[in-house]
Amino acid sequence: MLKRWVTYLEGDRTIWMLALIFTLISIVTVYSFIPILITQHGGDGSTEFYLIKHAIILFSGFGLMYLSHKANFRFYARIAKALLWISAGLLVLTMFYGASINQAERWLEIPIINQRFQTSDIAKLALVIYLARTLVIVKDKMHDFKEGIWPLLWPILLICGLILPQDFSTAAMLFGISMIILYMGQVPLKWLFAGLGSIVVMFLLMLALSKSIPGLLPRVDTWVARWEQYSDGESEEATQLRNAELAIVSGGAIGKGPGKGVFKYALSQAYADFYFASFVEEYGLAGAIILISLFLVLFYRFLRIAVKCESPFGTYVVLGIGTALMVQALINMAVPTGLVPVTGQNMPMLGLGGTSIWFTCLSFGIILSVSRGTIRNVSTNNVKKEHAQRQAA
C-alpha cells in the first residue's frame, strides 16, 4: 500500500522525505509552543484547537505541494506575468485595507475561512518566477539597457517598493535574492551595482524624510527605533535577544526536553520569530545540529536539481526559490543569536505561520515540478540512447 502511494510522488524523493520530517518536527514543537500563544496574546480556544488547526494547515499544504508538483514547470512561466500583477494588486490592497498585527499592515483576510495571509509571500514567488522567465527572454539583449536590463529591474523595484513601507526585512531580503538571480543570469555587474546604489539612495531619502516630518512614514520610524533598540543594551528588544541567548545556552548539549523550556515564556513570538531559540532550549545543541543539517541537505538537493536541469528557466526558478527559503531559515537562526536585529522572519515549514506554510509547500511543489521534468528528460534521453545503440549493433 505504501509503495503504491509513493509512486504518485514524483521528483526528488529526498525533498519529499525532508518535507515530511519538517512536518513531524513542526507538529511536535508547535504543540509545546501553543500555550505561549494563549498566555501572551489571549488566544481563544484550547491547545488542542490550535494543534488541530496547525495540523490541517500542514497537511493541506502537502496537498498544494502535490498539485503544484504535478504541473509541468513551464506552466509557471506562462502564468508568471499574471502572477506578478495579481501580487502587486494584493500588495496595494494590503497598504490600504490590510489587517494590523504588531503595528504593521501586512496581512489580508481570506473571506469565508477567516484566515489571514501575508501578501508578500505570494509576491516573493511571483517575482522569482517572473525574473526567471524574463532572463530567458532577454538573455541576448543584456548589452541594451532598455531591451535587456530594464525589463528585469522594473518588477524588482515595483514589488520591493510595495513591500517596503510595511516590511523592510522582507523587501531587503527579496531585493538581495533578486540580485543573486540576476547575477546568475549573467547580468553585467555595472547594472547590478547601479540598481543597488539606486535602492540605497532611495532608502536614505526615506530616512531623511521621516526625520524631517515625524509621523509621515510610521514604519520608517519603527525601523529606526528598532535598530536603535538593537544597539541599546537596556531596550525591550535587547532584553528579548538576551532571553533568546539564555534559552540557547540553557539548552545545553541535549536540551531540557519537549515542552520543558522555560525561557520561551519570556520571548515574544517564541513559536515564530524566535522559533530557533525555543527549539534549542528544548532540544539542545544536538537538536540544533540536526536541524541545520536537514536544511543543508535540503539546499544541496535544490542545487543538484538546478545543475541537472537542462532548462535555464527551471534552473533560475529552483535557485531563486531555494535561496529564498534558505535565507529565511538562516535569518530565523541569526536573530536569537544576536547576529541581526529582530526581523519578523518565521522558520520555513516549522513555525506556527498559518498560510506561510502553504506558500512554503507551494515553493517545494514548484521545485519538485522542475525535478520531475528533469528526471523524465533524463529517462527519455537514456531510452533514446539505448535504442540508438541497439540499432548501431
Side-chain angles (χ1 to χ4, degrees):
M1 176 67 76
L2 180 60
K3 287 184 178 180
R4 192 175 76 178
W5 278 104
V6 169
T7 58
Y8 291 105
L9 306 179
E10 300 180 79
D12 191 303
R13 296 288 173 80
T14 303
I15 293 179
W16 280 109
M17 182 60 67
L18 287 170
L20 179 59
I21 292 172
F22 283 139
T23 297
L24 296 176
I25 293 174
S26 181
I27 290 175
V28 172
T29 54
V30 166
Y31 181 70
S32 70
F33 300 157
I34 286 174
I36 306 171
L37 173 68
I38 297 174
T39 302
Q40 292 182 352
H41 302 282
D44 298 325
S46 63
T47 301
E48 288 73 21
F49 168 80
Y50 285 105
L51 180 65
I52 292 171
K53 181 180 178 181
H54 183 63
I56 290 173
I57 289 175
L58 281 168
F59 288 109
S60 59
F62 258 84
L64 279 175
M65 196 188 309
Y66 177 80
L67 292 175
S68 56
H69 107 286
K70 280 295 186 182
N72 187 310
F73 70 88
R74 292 177 178 83
F75 164 75
Y76 299 107
R78 292 196 290 270
I79 64 172
K81 195 169 187 178
L83 275 178
L84 185 76
W85 287 114
I86 289 172
S87 62
L90 290 173
L91 288 171
V92 172
L93 280 175
T94 306
M95 292 174 67
F96 294 99
Y97 303 104
S100 180
I101 300 178
N102 295 330
Q103 300 178 339
E105 288 78 25
R106 303 175 185 173
W107 292 263
L108 284 180
E109 190 167 289
I110 303 174
I112 302 175
I113 65 173
N114 297 324
Q115 178 68 49
R116 294 189 182 103
F117 76 100
Q118 201 163 332
T119 47
S120 60
D121 286 333
I122 188 172
K124 283 188 286 189
L125 272 178
L127 181 58
V128 168
I129 295 171
Y130 186 84
L131 289 177
R133 168 186 174 271
T134 307
L135 274 171
V136 176
I137 294 173
V138 304
K139 65 178 180 178
D140 297 323
K141 303 175 183 178
M142 295 295 185
H143 61 280
D144 188 296
F145 178 81
K146 183 178 179 181
E147 297 294 327
I149 304 301
W150 181 242
L152 294 166
L153 289 182
W154 73 257
I156 298 173
L157 297 175
L158 174 67
I159 297 300
C160 292
L162 290 173
I163 295 174
L164 183 62
Q166 296 299 332
D167 194 348
F168 170 75
S169 61
T170 298
M173 183 183 75
L174 187 54
F175 179 80
I177 291 167
S178 299
M179 292 295 104
I180 292 172
I181 296 172
L182 297 192
Y183 176 76
M184 292 186 298
Q186 298 182 334
V187 172
L189 286 176
K190 65 178 181 179
W191 298 121
L192 297 182
F193 284 120
L196 179 61
S198 300
I199 289 295
V200 170
V201 170
M202 290 172 60
F203 182 68
L204 291 175
L205 287 174
M206 288 180 63
L207 290 179
L209 189 61
S210 175
K211 285 289 186 182
S212 302
I213 312 175
L216 179 64
L217 300 170
R219 289 304 297 173
V220 176
D221 297 335
T222 302
W223 307 334
V224 175
R226 180 168 286 182
W227 179 259
E228 290 174 348
Q229 290 173 1
Y230 173 70
S231 306
D232 180 9
E234 302 302 321
S235 68
E236 181 181 349
E237 183 163 322
T239 302
Q240 286 288 305
L241 290 173
R242 278 199 300 272
N243 288 334
E245 291 169 357
L246 288 171
I248 292 173
V249 171
S250 68
I254 59 174
K256 296 177 178 177
K260 295 181 180 179
V262 176
F263 286 99
K264 64 184 181 181
Y265 288 96
L267 293 172
S268 175
Q269 303 284 323
Y271 44 83
D273 298 2
F274 286 98
Y275 177 93
F276 186 68
S278 305
F279 179 88
V280 176
E281 182 182 12
E282 297 191 352
Y283 297 93
L285 179 62
I289 292 173
I290 291 172
L291 187 64
I292 293 170
S293 299
L294 290 174
F295 275 107
L296 288 176
V297 172
L298 182 64
F299 191 48
Y300 167 74
R301 302 307 296 184
F302 291 163
L303 293 176
R304 194 166 181 269
I305 294 168
V307 169
K308 286 192 171 186
C309 183
E310 296 178 358
S311 165
F313 169 74
T315 298
Y316 297 144
V317 163
V318 172
L319 290 175
I321 295 176
T323 301
L325 291 172
M326 292 304 108
V327 169
Q328 185 177 337
L330 184 62
I331 290 175
N332 189 272
M333 296 177 189
V335 166
T337 56
L339 295 176
V340 297
V342 178
T343 60
Q345 296 296 326
N346 199 353
M347 182 67 84
M349 200 75 184
L350 294 175
L352 185 67
T355 52
S356 67
I357 292 173
W358 289 348
F359 289 107
T360 301
C361 289
L362 184 58
S363 299
F364 278 21
I366 294 172
I367 292 174
L368 286 166
S369 174
V370 176
S371 172
R372 171 174 166 263
T374 302
I375 292 171
R376 286 191 171 187
N377 286 340
V378 171
S379 300
T380 302
N381 291 337
N382 288 339
V383 170
K384 288 181 179 178
K385 184 184 287 186
E386 289 178 8
H387 182 69
Q389 289 174 345
R390 288 174 185 171
Q391 285 186 329

